């Protein structure tokens, strides 16, 4: 059975059984203070990632989006919670002043 759960992640994960989730996909706050909004004032703390680790089955994966300037905070918290960083997919884009070719 497949189910999409939409709720406060920390509160909902506390209700879940250990080793019950196959895969987590999340787009947490990037910690960029986007438009001065409080919800984006920091990246999620280790408590959230420890709960995610607890509810996931052995061998499960987690895909978490992060900001280009703050992804290191996300990865550090994930590692501290027990996750192993395997692969990173990056969206690279170029911008800025054009350079001369001669």
């Amino acid at each position: 059975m497949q189910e999409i759960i939409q709720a406060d992640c920390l509160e909902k994960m506390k209700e879940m059984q250990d080793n019950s989730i196959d895969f987590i996909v999340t787009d947490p706050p990037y910690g960029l203070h986007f438009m001065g909004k409080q919800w984006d004032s920091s990246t999620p703390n280790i408590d959230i990632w420890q709960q995610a680790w607890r509810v996931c089955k052995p061998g499960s994966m987690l895909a978490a989006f992060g900001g280009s300037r703050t992804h290191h905070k996300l990865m550090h918290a994930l590692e501290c919670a027990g996750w192993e960083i395997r692969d990173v997919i990056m969206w690279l884009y170029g911008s800025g002043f054009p350079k001369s070719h001669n």
Side-chain angles (χ1 to χ4, degrees), residues 40-65:
D40 192 41
S41 63
S42 65
T43 56
N45 63 35
I46 193 170
D47 298 338
I48 290 174
W49 306 120
Q50 286 173 331
Q51 283 296 321
W53 178 257
R54 181 189 64 78
V55 301
C56 279
K57 296 175 183 175
S60 294
M61 292 186 297
L62 179 142
F65 293 84

mmCIF file of all heavy atoms in Angstrom, residues 40-65:
data_model
loop_
_atom_site.group_PDB
_atom_site.id
_atom_site.type_symbol
_atom_site.label_atom_id
_atom_site.label_comp_id
_atom_site.label_asym_id
_atom_site.label_seq_id
_atom_site.Cartn_x
_atom_site.Cartn_y
_atom_site.Cartn_z
ATOM 1 N N ASP A 40 11.770 29.775 7.298
ATOM 2 C CA ASP A 40 13.008 29.492 6.564
ATOM 3 C C ASP A 40 14.221 30.090 7.269
ATOM 4 O O ASP A 40 15.232 30.385 6.652
ATOM 5 C CB ASP A 40 12.898 30.040 5.134
ATOM 6 C CG ASP A 40 14.009 29.526 4.232
ATOM 7 O OD1 ASP A 40 14.344 28.332 4.321
ATOM 8 O OD2 ASP A 40 14.551 30.329 3.449
ATOM 9 N N SER A 41 14.139 30.247 8.578
ATOM 10 C CA SER A 41 15.236 30.886 9.317
ATOM 11 C C SER A 41 16.405 29.942 9.578
ATOM 12 O O SER A 41 17.504 30.388 9.852
ATOM 13 C CB SER A 41 14.725 31.455 10.640
ATOM 14 O OG SER A 41 14.237 30.409 11.463
ATOM 15 N N SER A 42 16.178 28.637 9.487
ATOM 16 C CA SER A 42 17.266 27.683 9.682
ATOM 17 C C SER A 42 16.929 26.365 8.996
ATOM 18 O O SER A 42 15.786 26.122 8.616
ATOM 19 C CB SER A 42 17.524 27.441 11.175
ATOM 20 O OG SER A 42 16.399 26.813 11.758
ATOM 21 N N THR A 43 17.935 25.522 8.852
ATOM 22 C CA THR A 43 17.705 24.178 8.323
ATOM 23 C C THR A 43 17.195 23.302 9.469
ATOM 24 O O THR A 43 17.420 23.610 10.642
ATOM 25 C CB THR A 43 18.995 23.586 7.728
ATOM 26 O OG1 THR A 43 20.013 23.609 8.721
ATOM 27 C CG2 THR A 43 19.458 24.380 6.511
ATOM 28 N N PRO A 44 16.502 22.207 9.170
ATOM 29 C CA PRO A 44 15.980 21.343 10.231
ATOM 30 C C PRO A 44 17.091 20.813 11.139
ATOM 31 O O PRO A 44 18.194 20.491 10.675
ATOM 32 C CB PRO A 44 15.309 20.201 9.469
ATOM 33 C CG PRO A 44 14.980 20.786 8.142
ATOM 34 C CD PRO A 44 16.083 21.748 7.848
ATOM 35 N N ASN A 45 16.791 20.725 12.415
ATOM 36 C CA ASN A 45 17.794 20.244 13.361
ATOM 37 C C ASN A 45 17.883 18.715 13.334
ATOM 38 O O ASN A 45 17.101 18.033 12.681
ATOM 39 C CB ASN A 45 17.511 20.783 14.772
ATOM 40 C CG ASN A 45 16.186 20.305 15.319
ATOM 41 O OD1 ASN A 45 15.759 19.186 15.071
ATOM 42 N ND2 ASN A 45 15.529 21.162 16.073
ATOM 43 N N ILE A 46 18.815 18.201 14.067
ATOM 44 C CA ILE A 46 19.112 16.768 14.058
ATOM 45 C C ILE A 46 17.944 15.912 14.550
ATOM 46 O O ILE A 46 17.797 14.762 14.136
ATOM 47 C CB ILE A 46 20.393 16.482 14.866
ATOM 48 C CG1 ILE A 46 20.887 15.072 14.606
ATOM 49 C CG2 ILE A 46 20.175 16.757 16.328
ATOM 50 C CD1 ILE A 46 22.253 14.783 15.173
ATOM 51 N N ASP A 47 17.074 16.462 15.413
ATOM 52 C CA ASP A 47 15.932 15.699 15.935
ATOM 53 C C ASP A 47 15.050 15.145 14.813
ATOM 54 O O ASP A 47 14.599 14.001 14.884
ATOM 55 C CB ASP A 47 15.077 16.555 16.870
ATOM 56 C CG ASP A 47 15.828 17.021 18.099
ATOM 57 O OD1 ASP A 47 16.836 16.366 18.454
ATOM 58 O OD2 ASP A 47 15.423 18.026 18.693
ATOM 59 N N ILE A 48 14.808 15.952 13.814
ATOM 60 C CA ILE A 48 13.968 15.518 12.692
ATOM 61 C C ILE A 48 14.630 14.371 11.947
ATOM 62 O O ILE A 48 14.001 13.366 11.622
ATOM 63 C CB ILE A 48 13.675 16.696 11.754
ATOM 64 C CG1 ILE A 48 12.726 17.669 12.455
ATOM 65 C CG2 ILE A 48 13.114 16.215 10.411
ATOM 66 C CD1 ILE A 48 12.463 18.947 11.715
ATOM 67 N N TRP A 49 15.934 14.489 11.693
ATOM 68 C CA TRP A 49 16.637 13.451 10.920
ATOM 69 C C TRP A 49 16.819 12.181 11.735
ATOM 70 O O TRP A 49 16.847 11.087 11.178
ATOM 71 C CB TRP A 49 17.965 14.000 10.403
ATOM 72 C CG TRP A 49 17.770 15.268 9.622
ATOM 73 C CD1 TRP A 49 18.303 16.491 9.902
ATOM 74 C CD2 TRP A 49 16.960 15.458 8.458
ATOM 75 N NE1 TRP A 49 17.876 17.415 8.991
ATOM 76 C CE2 TRP A 49 17.053 16.804 8.090
ATOM 77 C CE3 TRP A 49 16.145 14.623 7.691
ATOM 78 C CZ2 TRP A 49 16.382 17.334 6.990
ATOM 79 C CZ3 TRP A 49 15.485 15.149 6.593
ATOM 80 C CH2 TRP A 49 15.602 16.482 6.256
ATOM 81 N N GLN A 50 16.922 12.286 13.062
ATOM 82 C CA GLN A 50 16.981 11.085 13.905
ATOM 83 C C GLN A 50 15.647 10.339 13.872
ATOM 84 O O GLN A 50 15.634 9.107 13.828
ATOM 85 C CB GLN A 50 17.345 11.461 15.343
ATOM 86 C CG GLN A 50 18.789 11.842 15.509
ATOM 87 C CD GLN A 50 19.108 12.378 16.889
ATOM 88 O OE1 GLN A 50 18.253 12.969 17.560
ATOM 89 N NE2 GLN A 50 20.340 12.189 17.319
ATOM 90 N N GLN A 51 14.548 11.070 13.886
ATOM 91 C CA GLN A 51 13.242 10.424 13.783
ATOM 92 C C GLN A 51 13.074 9.769 12.417
ATOM 93 O O GLN A 51 12.533 8.661 12.311
ATOM 94 C CB GLN A 51 12.109 11.432 14.016
ATOM 95 C CG GLN A 51 11.891 11.796 15.453
ATOM 96 C CD GLN A 51 11.440 10.611 16.288
ATOM 97 O OE1 GLN A 51 10.654 9.772 15.864
ATOM 98 N NE2 GLN A 51 11.976 10.529 17.496
ATOM 99 N N ALA A 52 13.545 10.437 11.375
ATOM 100 C CA ALA A 52 13.472 9.859 10.031
ATOM 101 C C ALA A 52 14.285 8.566 9.977
ATOM 102 O O ALA A 52 13.852 7.568 9.385
ATOM 103 C CB ALA A 52 13.979 10.861 8.996
ATOM 104 N N TRP A 53 15.444 8.567 10.585
ATOM 105 C CA TRP A 53 16.300 7.368 10.647
ATOM 106 C C TRP A 53 15.588 6.233 11.383
ATOM 107 O O TRP A 53 15.613 5.083 10.977
ATOM 108 C CB TRP A 53 17.611 7.723 11.334
ATOM 109 C CG TRP A 53 18.559 6.588 11.513
ATOM 110 C CD1 TRP A 53 18.809 5.907 12.669
ATOM 111 C CD2 TRP A 53 19.383 5.981 10.519
ATOM 112 N NE1 TRP A 53 19.737 4.926 12.458
ATOM 113 C CE2 TRP A 53 20.114 4.947 11.136
ATOM 114 C CE3 TRP A 53 19.584 6.216 9.169
ATOM 115 C CZ2 TRP A 53 21.018 4.160 10.456
ATOM 116 C CZ3 TRP A 53 20.482 5.424 8.490
ATOM 117 C CH2 TRP A 53 21.194 4.409 9.126
ATOM 118 N N ARG A 54 14.922 6.572 12.467
ATOM 119 C CA ARG A 54 14.233 5.572 13.283
ATOM 120 C C ARG A 54 13.084 4.911 12.528
ATOM 121 O O ARG A 54 12.913 3.698 12.578
ATOM 122 C CB ARG A 54 13.694 6.230 14.570
ATOM 123 C CG ARG A 54 12.973 5.273 15.511
ATOM 124 C CD ARG A 54 12.287 6.010 16.648
ATOM 125 N NE ARG A 54 11.226 6.889 16.210
ATOM 126 C CZ ARG A 54 10.003 6.486 15.851
ATOM 127 N NH1 ARG A 54 9.686 5.197 15.865
ATOM 128 N NH2 ARG A 54 9.089 7.361 15.467
ATOM 129 N N VAL A 55 12.280 5.710 11.808
ATOM 130 C CA VAL A 55 11.100 5.144 11.149
ATOM 131 C C VAL A 55 11.419 4.423 9.845
ATOM 132 O O VAL A 55 10.610 3.639 9.362
ATOM 133 C CB VAL A 55 10.004 6.211 10.906
ATOM 134 C CG1 VAL A 55 9.562 6.822 12.219
ATOM 135 C CG2 VAL A 55 10.431 7.259 9.905
ATOM 136 N N CYS A 56 12.591 4.666 9.285
ATOM 137 C CA CYS A 56 12.948 4.025 8.010
ATOM 138 C C CYS A 56 13.454 2.605 8.219
ATOM 139 O O CYS A 56 14.157 2.313 9.187
ATOM 140 C CB CYS A 56 13.999 4.843 7.277
ATOM 141 S SG CYS A 56 13.297 6.223 6.373
ATOM 142 N N LYS A 57 13.085 1.750 7.283
ATOM 143 C CA LYS A 57 13.568 0.365 7.289
ATOM 144 C C LYS A 57 15.052 0.344 6.967
ATOM 145 O O LYS A 57 15.562 1.256 6.305
ATOM 146 C CB LYS A 57 12.819 -0.451 6.231
ATOM 147 C CG LYS A 57 11.336 -0.581 6.480
ATOM 148 C CD LYS A 57 10.661 -1.291 5.312
ATOM 149 C CE LYS A 57 9.156 -1.354 5.517
ATOM 150 N NZ LYS A 57 8.474 -1.937 4.354
ATOM 151 N N PRO A 58 15.783 -0.688 7.408
ATOM 152 C CA PRO A 58 17.193 -0.807 7.016
ATOM 153 C C PRO A 58 17.309 -0.803 5.495
ATOM 154 O O PRO A 58 16.562 -1.482 4.799
ATOM 155 C CB PRO A 58 17.604 -2.147 7.599
ATOM 156 C CG PRO A 58 16.675 -2.359 8.750
ATOM 157 C CD PRO A 58 15.364 -1.753 8.318
ATOM 158 N N GLY A 59 18.226 -0.011 4.979
ATOM 159 C CA GLY A 59 18.413 0.083 3.540
ATOM 160 C C GLY A 59 17.532 1.113 2.856
ATOM 161 O O GLY A 59 17.628 1.312 1.648
ATOM 162 N N SER A 60 16.680 1.780 3.620
ATOM 163 C CA SER A 60 15.813 2.815 3.042
ATOM 164 C C SER A 60 16.636 4.011 2.588
ATOM 165 O O SER A 60 17.772 4.208 3.022
ATOM 166 C CB SER A 60 14.789 3.294 4.074
ATOM 167 O OG SER A 60 13.897 2.275 4.406
ATOM 168 N N MET A 61 16.020 4.811 1.747
ATOM 169 C CA MET A 61 16.686 6.017 1.258
ATOM 170 C C MET A 61 15.893 7.249 1.647
ATOM 171 O O MET A 61 14.689 7.181 1.887
ATOM 172 C CB MET A 61 16.824 5.965 -0.260
ATOM 173 C CG MET A 61 17.779 4.902 -0.737
ATOM 174 S SD MET A 61 18.067 4.982 -2.514
ATOM 175 C CE MET A 61 16.442 4.640 -3.163
ATOM 176 N N LEU A 62 16.608 8.365 1.681
ATOM 177 C CA LEU A 62 16.014 9.661 1.946
ATOM 178 C C LEU A 62 16.525 10.614 0.876
ATOM 179 O O LEU A 62 17.730 10.681 0.635
ATOM 180 C CB LEU A 62 16.411 10.149 3.335
ATOM 181 C CG LEU A 62 15.895 11.519 3.760
ATOM 182 C CD1 LEU A 62 15.523 11.488 5.229
ATOM 183 C CD2 LEU A 62 16.914 12.598 3.508
ATOM 184 N N ALA A 63 15.635 11.312 0.210
ATOM 185 C CA ALA A 63 16.000 12.348 -0.754
ATOM 186 C C ALA A 63 15.555 13.678 -0.170
ATOM 187 O O ALA A 63 14.366 13.899 0.030
ATOM 188 C CB ALA A 63 15.329 12.101 -2.100
ATOM 189 N N ALA A 64 16.523 14.528 0.144
ATOM 190 C CA ALA A 64 16.223 15.822 0.752
ATOM 191 C C ALA A 64 16.818 16.930 -0.104
ATOM 192 O O ALA A 64 18.005 16.895 -0.419
ATOM 193 C CB ALA A 64 16.791 15.886 2.172
ATOM 194 N N PHE A 65 15.988 17.879 -0.465
ATOM 195 C CA PHE A 65 16.455 19.022 -1.227
ATOM 196 C C PHE A 65 17.114 20.013 -0.270
ATOM 197 O O PHE A 65 16.749 20.092 0.894
ATOM 198 C CB PHE A 65 15.281 19.701 -1.940
ATOM 199 C CG PHE A 65 14.672 18.850 -3.015
ATOM 200 C CD1 PHE A 65 13.713 17.897 -2.698
ATOM 201 C CD2 PHE A 65 15.066 18.987 -4.334
ATOM 202 C CE1 PHE A 65 13.149 17.109 -3.678
ATOM 203 C CE2 PHE A 65 14.505 18.195 -5.316
ATOM 204 C CZ PHE A 65 13.547 17.253 -4.997
#
